[in-house]
Amino acid sequence: MSFLAKLFRKQTEEEVKVAEKLNIGIVLGSTRQGRVSPQVGEWVKGIAEKRGDANYEIVDIADFKLPLLGEGTGEEPGLAQWNEKLASLDGFVFIVQEYNHSITGALKNALDSAREAWYNKAAGIVSYGSTGGARAAEHLRGICGELKIADVRTHPTLSLFTDFENMSEFKPADLHEANVNAMLDEVVSWSGALKTVR
Ligand SMILES: Cc1cc2nc3c(=O)[nH]c(=O)nc-3n(C[C@H](O)[C@H](O)[C@H](O)COP(=O)(O)O)c2cc1C
């Protein structure tokens, strides 16, 4: 379609609906080879998309090839793309895995690699680990406070022992689906409310 045709074309009903909805990014917190986070992220996205209440997308930190903070030139295209992606989102669901009782270095670096793009947005946390990733998730909550991210209360926790086969194949227990929906209810409502602050 030509530029002018695009400019004057009426948006389809579907396009209007997509544009009016909140945009929620499902952020994969791990980047290592062999990571299980894509399986968990796709599962959350599948539950989220059945709701039809927001536009949900996977945001994979690995795609942006972020330099370690302060070690690059600051001109890396991924750094600008990371900030642009975050700026386009109204809220987040962090897929958090526990590494040495905290979040991954990759997620911390990604959090540090933006500032205003995080401000006044809501986030939910879905975590996993030997104790459901609870320690990592609590560390993330402290960081969220500094980045003006309102982290919601409901927090689905997945066990490496019972929700994964051989700690690698994700087979979540049914009970988690209701918890993910309860978390998303809070993320969507707070993301909408915080839009009025920005
Ligand atoms: C460096 C490292 C440290 C880890 N430390 C912990 C830990 O402290 N607690 C825990 O429950 N699991 C720990 N694990 C296990 C991870 O939670 C598990 O490997 C998980 O699958 C990692 O997520 P990923 O596959 O998406 O990278 C650790 C794994 C790695 C690689």
PDB file of all heavy atoms in Angstrom, residues 48-64:
ATOM      1  N   ALA A  48      -2.948 -15.628  29.027  1.00  0.00           N
ATOM      2  CA  ALA A  48      -3.281 -14.199  28.915  1.00  0.00           C
ATOM      3  C   ALA A  48      -4.122 -13.926  27.664  1.00  0.00           C
ATOM      4  O   ALA A  48      -5.093 -13.171  27.710  1.00  0.00           O
ATOM      5  CB  ALA A  48      -1.985 -13.385  28.879  1.00  0.00           C
ATOM      6  N   GLU A  49      -3.757 -14.554  26.556  1.00  0.00           N
ATOM      7  CA  GLU A  49      -4.441 -14.247  25.300  1.00  0.00           C
ATOM      8  C   GLU A  49      -5.889 -14.732  25.288  1.00  0.00           C
ATOM      9  O   GLU A  49      -6.709 -14.192  24.545  1.00  0.00           O
ATOM     10  CB  GLU A  49      -3.647 -14.816  24.135  1.00  0.00           C
ATOM     11  CG  GLU A  49      -2.470 -13.900  23.837  1.00  0.00           C
ATOM     12  CD  GLU A  49      -1.595 -14.351  22.690  1.00  0.00           C
ATOM     13  OE1 GLU A  49      -1.644 -15.544  22.339  1.00  0.00           O
ATOM     14  OE2 GLU A  49      -0.839 -13.516  22.171  1.00  0.00           O
ATOM     15  N   LYS A  50      -6.185 -15.728  26.122  1.00  0.00           N
ATOM     16  CA  LYS A  50      -7.578 -16.199  26.200  1.00  0.00           C
ATOM     17  C   LYS A  50      -8.480 -15.133  26.813  1.00  0.00           C
ATOM     18  O   LYS A  50      -9.684 -15.155  26.669  1.00  0.00           O
ATOM     19  CB  LYS A  50      -7.641 -17.468  27.067  1.00  0.00           C
ATOM     20  CG  LYS A  50      -7.284 -18.742  26.325  1.00  0.00           C
ATOM     21  CD  LYS A  50      -7.636 -19.964  27.163  1.00  0.00           C
ATOM     22  CE  LYS A  50      -6.403 -20.785  27.469  1.00  0.00           C
ATOM     23  NZ  LYS A  50      -6.487 -21.642  28.630  1.00  0.00           N
ATOM     24  N   ARG A  51      -7.881 -14.194  27.558  1.00  0.00           N
ATOM     25  CA  ARG A  51      -8.655 -13.188  28.269  1.00  0.00           C
ATOM     26  C   ARG A  51      -9.158 -12.085  27.331  1.00  0.00           C
ATOM     27  O   ARG A  51     -10.226 -11.510  27.563  1.00  0.00           O
ATOM     28  CB  ARG A  51      -7.800 -12.545  29.367  1.00  0.00           C
ATOM     29  CG  ARG A  51      -7.261 -13.528  30.378  1.00  0.00           C
ATOM     30  CD  ARG A  51      -6.102 -12.927  31.139  1.00  0.00           C
ATOM     31  NE  ARG A  51      -6.410 -11.664  31.753  1.00  0.00           N
ATOM     32  CZ  ARG A  51      -6.862 -11.519  32.998  1.00  0.00           C
ATOM     33  NH1 ARG A  51      -7.031 -12.569  33.766  1.00  0.00           N
ATOM     34  NH2 ARG A  51      -7.127 -10.322  33.472  1.00  0.00           N
ATOM     35  N   GLY A  52      -8.359 -11.735  26.326  1.00  0.00           N
ATOM     36  CA  GLY A  52      -8.759 -10.701  25.358  1.00  0.00           C
ATOM     37  C   GLY A  52      -8.797  -9.286  25.928  1.00  0.00           C
ATOM     38  O   GLY A  52      -9.366  -8.391  25.334  1.00  0.00           O
ATOM     39  N   ASP A  53      -8.190  -9.079  27.104  1.00  0.00           N
ATOM     40  CA  ASP A  53      -8.307  -7.770  27.748  1.00  0.00           C
ATOM     41  C   ASP A  53      -7.120  -6.847  27.506  1.00  0.00           C
ATOM     42  O   ASP A  53      -7.120  -5.698  27.914  1.00  0.00           O
ATOM     43  CB  ASP A  53      -8.514  -7.939  29.267  1.00  0.00           C
ATOM     44  CG  ASP A  53      -7.393  -8.747  29.931  1.00  0.00           C
ATOM     45  OD1 ASP A  53      -6.537  -9.311  29.211  1.00  0.00           O
ATOM     46  OD2 ASP A  53      -7.380  -8.821  31.175  1.00  0.00           O
ATOM     47  N   ALA A  54      -6.070  -7.336  26.859  1.00  0.00           N
ATOM     48  CA  ALA A  54      -4.871  -6.522  26.594  1.00  0.00           C
ATOM     49  C   ALA A  54      -4.113  -7.174  25.445  1.00  0.00           C
ATOM     50  O   ALA A  54      -4.392  -8.319  25.076  1.00  0.00           O
ATOM     51  CB  ALA A  54      -3.997  -6.456  27.853  1.00  0.00           C
ATOM     52  N   ASN A  55      -3.164  -6.427  24.897  1.00  0.00           N
ATOM     53  CA  ASN A  55      -2.252  -7.029  23.912  1.00  0.00           C
ATOM     54  C   ASN A  55      -1.045  -7.555  24.683  1.00  0.00           C
ATOM     55  O   ASN A  55      -0.377  -6.790  25.382  1.00  0.00           O
ATOM     56  CB  ASN A  55      -1.772  -5.976  22.912  1.00  0.00           C
ATOM     57  CG  ASN A  55      -2.931  -5.276  22.219  1.00  0.00           C
ATOM     58  OD1 ASN A  55      -3.858  -5.926  21.755  1.00  0.00           O
ATOM     59  ND2 ASN A  55      -2.897  -3.957  22.172  1.00  0.00           N
ATOM     60  N   TYR A  56      -0.805  -8.836  24.566  1.00  0.00           N
ATOM     61  CA  TYR A  56       0.308  -9.453  25.305  1.00  0.00           C
ATOM     62  C   TYR A  56       1.397  -9.869  24.321  1.00  0.00           C
ATOM     63  O   TYR A  56       1.105 -10.439  23.278  1.00  0.00           O
ATOM     64  CB  TYR A  56      -0.172 -10.691  26.073  1.00  0.00           C
ATOM     65  CG  TYR A  56      -1.152 -10.376  27.175  1.00  0.00           C
ATOM     66  CD1 TYR A  56      -2.534 -10.439  26.962  1.00  0.00           C
ATOM     67  CD2 TYR A  56      -0.704 -10.009  28.440  1.00  0.00           C
ATOM     68  CE1 TYR A  56      -3.441 -10.147  27.980  1.00  0.00           C
ATOM     69  CE2 TYR A  56      -1.601  -9.709  29.460  1.00  0.00           C
ATOM     70  CZ  TYR A  56      -2.968  -9.789  29.220  1.00  0.00           C
ATOM     71  OH  TYR A  56      -3.854  -9.494  30.231  1.00  0.00           O
ATOM     72  N   GLU A  57       2.643  -9.598  24.671  1.00  0.00           N
ATOM     73  CA  GLU A  57       3.751 -10.037  23.807  1.00  0.00           C
ATOM     74  C   GLU A  57       4.930 -10.484  24.659  1.00  0.00           C
ATOM     75  O   GLU A  57       5.136  -9.982  25.770  1.00  0.00           O
ATOM     76  CB  GLU A  57       4.197  -8.916  22.868  1.00  0.00           C
ATOM     77  CG  GLU A  57       4.778  -7.703  23.573  1.00  0.00           C
ATOM     78  CD  GLU A  57       5.284  -6.649  22.601  1.00  0.00           C
ATOM     79  OE1 GLU A  57       6.323  -6.857  21.970  1.00  0.00           O
ATOM     80  OE2 GLU A  57       4.598  -5.603  22.481  1.00  0.00           O
ATOM     81  N   ILE A  58       5.683 -11.444  24.116  1.00  0.00           N
ATOM     82  CA  ILE A  58       6.905 -11.885  24.778  1.00  0.00           C
ATOM     83  C   ILE A  58       7.999 -10.854  24.488  1.00  0.00           C
ATOM     84  O   ILE A  58       8.179 -10.442  23.342  1.00  0.00           O
ATOM     85  CB  ILE A  58       7.366 -13.266  24.232  1.00  0.00           C
ATOM     86  CG1 ILE A  58       6.311 -14.344  24.498  1.00  0.00           C
ATOM     87  CG2 ILE A  58       8.742 -13.644  24.783  1.00  0.00           C
ATOM     88  CD1 ILE A  58       6.292 -14.929  25.881  1.00  0.00           C
ATOM     89  N   VAL A  59       8.703 -10.456  25.523  1.00  0.00           N
ATOM     90  CA  VAL A  59       9.856  -9.560  25.358  1.00  0.00           C
ATOM     91  C   VAL A  59      11.078 -10.337  25.853  1.00  0.00           C
ATOM     92  O   VAL A  59      11.211 -10.616  27.047  1.00  0.00           O
ATOM     93  CB  VAL A  59       9.668  -8.259  26.169  1.00  0.00           C
ATOM     94  CG1 VAL A  59      10.890  -7.362  26.029  1.00  0.00           C
ATOM     95  CG2 VAL A  59       8.402  -7.526  25.728  1.00  0.00           C
ATOM     96  N   ASP A  60      11.929 -10.705  24.888  1.00  0.00           N
ATOM     97  CA  ASP A  60      13.074 -11.563  25.216  1.00  0.00           C
ATOM     98  C   ASP A  60      14.337 -10.703  25.310  1.00  0.00           C
ATOM     99  O   ASP A  60      14.820 -10.177  24.296  1.00  0.00           O
ATOM    100  CB  ASP A  60      13.229 -12.632  24.116  1.00  0.00           C
ATOM    101  CG  ASP A  60      14.248 -13.690  24.483  1.00  0.00           C
ATOM    102  OD1 ASP A  60      14.974 -13.505  25.489  1.00  0.00           O
ATOM    103  OD2 ASP A  60      14.318 -14.704  23.765  1.00  0.00           O
ATOM    104  N   ILE A  61      14.851 -10.569  26.512  1.00  0.00           N
ATOM    105  CA  ILE A  61      16.049  -9.736  26.731  1.00  0.00           C
ATOM    106  C   ILE A  61      17.172 -10.166  25.774  1.00  0.00           C
ATOM    107  O   ILE A  61      17.933  -9.327  25.277  1.00  0.00           O
ATOM    108  CB  ILE A  61      16.528  -9.879  28.200  1.00  0.00           C
ATOM    109  CG1 ILE A  61      15.504  -9.276  29.162  1.00  0.00           C
ATOM    110  CG2 ILE A  61      17.890  -9.209  28.403  1.00  0.00           C
ATOM    111  CD1 ILE A  61      15.800  -9.584  30.624  1.00  0.00           C
ATOM    112  N   ALA A  62      17.257 -11.467  25.520  1.00  0.00           N
ATOM    113  CA  ALA A  62      18.346 -11.992  24.680  1.00  0.00           C
ATOM    114  C   ALA A  62      18.342 -11.368  23.282  1.00  0.00           C
ATOM    115  O   ALA A  62      19.398 -11.227  22.656  1.00  0.00           O
ATOM    116  CB  ALA A  62      18.244 -13.511  24.577  1.00  0.00           C
ATOM    117  N   ASP A  63      17.163 -10.979  22.795  1.00  0.00           N
ATOM    118  CA  ASP A  63      17.072 -10.410  21.440  1.00  0.00           C
ATOM    119  C   ASP A  63      17.783  -9.068  21.315  1.00  0.00           C
ATOM    120  O   ASP A  63      18.095  -8.622  20.208  1.00  0.00           O
ATOM    121  CB  ASP A  63      15.602 -10.179  21.042  1.00  0.00           C
ATOM    122  CG  ASP A  63      14.874 -11.484  20.788  1.00  0.00           C
ATOM    123  OD1 ASP A  63      15.551 -12.501  20.569  1.00  0.00           O
ATOM    124  OD2 ASP A  63      13.626 -11.478  20.812  1.00  0.00           O
ATOM    125  N   PHE A  64      17.976  -8.377  22.427  1.00  0.00           N
ATOM    126  CA  PHE A  64      18.461  -6.992  22.361  1.00  0.00           C
ATOM    127  C   PHE A  64      19.985  -6.879  22.473  1.00  0.00           C
ATOM    128  O   PHE A  64      20.545  -5.817  22.233  1.00  0.00           O
ATOM    129  CB  PHE A  64      17.770  -6.153  23.459  1.00  0.00           C
ATOM    130  CG  PHE A  64      16.290  -6.034  23.221  1.00  0.00           C
ATOM    131  CD1 PHE A  64      15.415  -7.027  23.665  1.00  0.00           C
ATOM    132  CD2 PHE A  64      15.777  -4.973  22.508  1.00  0.00           C
ATOM    133  CE1 PHE A  64      14.047  -6.945  23.427  1.00  0.00           C
ATOM    134  CE2 PHE A  64      14.415  -4.877  22.261  1.00  0.00           C
ATOM    135  CZ  PHE A  64      13.546  -5.872  22.719  1.00  0.00           C
TER     136      PHE A  64
END
